[in-house]
Amino acid sequence: MSAKKRIAVIGSGVVGQTLANGFIKHGFETMIGSRDAGKLKEWAAKAGPLAKAGTVQEAARFGDLVALAVKGTGAEDAVRLAGPDTLAGKVVIDTTNPIADAPPANGLIKFFTSLDESLMERLQKIAPKARFVKAFSSVGNALMVNPKLHGGPPTMFICGNDTAAKEEVVEILKLFGWEIEDAGAAEAARAIEPLCILWCIPGFLKNDWVHAFKVLRP
Ligand SMILES: NC(=O)c1ccc[n+]([C@@H]2O[C@H](COP(=O)([O-])OP(=O)(O)OC[C@H]3O[C@@H](n4cnc5c(N)ncnc54)[C@H](OP(=O)(O)O)[C@@H]3O)[C@@H](O)[C@H]2O)c1
């Protein structure tokens, strides 16, 4: 993909800012969209000339490619706010996890979805013409951009219904230092999203938050 593509990141939290900084580091003009654009002033001032801050709707219009990085319980609202028509035809990287508000028990976070339905499938139904690709959901923000780990590049699990959209996301993930495991169509998010539960266990049990999955083959 061309380095001239404009990126929208919807969500101003740690994941939104980490991914936006990653896109900017790789030369992409990037706008973070928030329900309260004012809270991004400090980020925009520090992040350099390629950085922009706006509302969720402004960002969705701005981006040729959109990364959704909002709280799982707000993800459906965020897609409605961005506008299914605005997102139509655009690649939407879905980083979200359907984490419920209930606290973790014995290190296991709780989801508000079942194993028969993923959050990304719900989002795809709200914006059927958006080209959703699940990515970045199964690793902590500290390792999302060009992770340096013993054992080489870790594996990012992706899925989505649009093959060309996945190819674009693969290019980004390679730029961001990842190996890619394509798990297939959107419903594979039912398997990818729960990796977040597994990923968080060492964090809650041992305060170990810096690790990533890797698929090994002979
Ligand atoms: N933290 C990680 O290391 C990590 C790793 C992998 C995946 N994820 C996933 O990435 C997503 C973002 O995580 P995070 O840690 O950055 O912070 P977060 O607290 O989960 O999400 C923060 C963002 O969610 C937005 N938001 C909350 N409720 C909303 C609503 N009702 N409508 C629209 N937007 C809403 C807020 O947007 P405003 O700016 O508009 O307030 C804020 O920017 C989550 O789904 C999380 O599961 C996180």
Side-chain angles (χ1 to χ4, degrees), residues 52-131:
K52 293 185 169 23
T55 64
V56 170
Q57 293 93 333
E58 283 166 346
R61 281 196 295 273
F62 173 86
D64 302 310
L65 180 147
V66 177
L68 183 68
V70 299
K71 195 166 182 253
T73 50
E76 291 164 86
D77 282 349
V79 168
R80 286 189 198 99
L81 194 60
D85 289 342
T86 307
L87 297 177
K90 296 188 181 186
V91 175
V92 181
I93 300 178
D94 173 26
T95 75
T96 65
N97 281 307
I99 299 173
D101 288 328
N106 291 330
L108 276 83
I109 52 173
K110 299 204 191 299
F111 271 19
F112 59 78
T113 49
S114 75
L115 286 175
D116 296 320
E117 185 207 25
S118 63
L119 180 54
M120 190 172 84
E121 288 169 281
R122 287 195 192 180
L123 303 179
Q124 184 71 80
K125 276 186 197 141
I126 293 169
K129 291 184 182 156
R131 301 156 72 206

Side-chain angles (χ1 to χ4, degrees), residues 123-179:
L123 303 179
Q124 184 71 80
K125 276 186 197 141
I126 293 169
K129 291 184 182 156
R131 301 156 72 206
F132 280 95
V133 179
K134 194 93 216 168
F136 294 108
S137 61
S138 56
V139 69
N141 62 84
L143 294 176
M144 284 180 175
V145 182
N146 301 106
K148 297 278 174 284
L149 293 164
H150 298 300
T155 306
M156 186 68 76
F157 296 91
I158 70 166
C159 69
N161 290 337
D162 187 309
T163 302
K166 285 194 283 192
E167 282 165 8
E168 274 195 43
V169 176
V170 164
E171 288 311 305
I172 290 165
L173 287 168
K174 285 182 181 167
L175 208 56
F176 279 37
W178 286 85
E179 287 177 357

